[in-house]
Amino acid sequence: MPETTVARVKSERMRTLACSTFALLFLGLIYAFSMFAAPMGEAFELEKGAIGLTFNIMMIAFCIGAVIGSQVERRIGVKGAIVIAAVLFFVGFAGTGLFAKGSIAVVYLCYGTLGGLGVGMGYNTIVSTTNLWFPDKVGFSSGVLMMGFGLGSLILGTLSVNLIPLFGLGPVFVGVGAAGGVVAAAAAFMLRRPPENIVAHMAPEQAAARDAAGGDGAAARRTRSSWASTPPSPRCLWAWCPPATAWRAWWWG
């Protein structure tokens, strides 16, 4: 592979990583629920215990969204899957901000279910697509993406909470939904799968191992093509279970 082509792939994959991290920064806002819970209770006139269940619903919806997202991506592609995720994210936040006053059912449906599904679909699709660009540095790309996802609740969540006294919770939620939806939709039109031969070019030692294990060159090429075109298995992020348990303990304690 010419050096200019390798340099071009390296440049494009770093742009892809930056775009994906920025999108996940906004999608991660849904995990700022601990910051939003108290203002939601006051603004929407809801009981604290009823609001707390929203987090559980959201976590379940997130995992289901990851499973659904992998199948949607397989059928309609990366762009379509992320656009659907962006719409669900917008409807989840905007619907909560506009219609949740006095109705915990709306909070469960919009923030918990639709928002959780959208973030699960978006996260799984964005992470799986981006990691395909880094066959030689999957740990690095996964770490950067997770960092962006986690920082969303810290940075943008804090900013959103500080805007509530100025504009009210409803308008802030609508704004959050619109901003996250636009960013995710923009990412949908920027992200694409890498060339099918990226493993051979960026991780030649892996390609050599496949060649040795796969027999003739045609079989090895089919293996590489299948690896690059098949979405990875859904990631339900069992790592989120400890934070969820800790949050529930804090909430009910």
Side-chain angles (χ1 to χ4, degrees), residues 17 19 55 74 120 122 130-131 142 160 194 219 223:
L17 181 61
C19 172
F55 188 82
R74 189 188 303 273
T130 303
N131 281 343
S142 297
S160 300
T223 300

Side-chain angles (χ1 to χ4, degrees), residues 2 14 48 67 132-133 138 142 151 168 185 196 227 234:
M14 292 308 296
K48 178 179 178 180
V67 176
L132 290 178
W133 284 90
V138 176
S142 297
L151 286 177
E196 292 186 353
W227 182 91

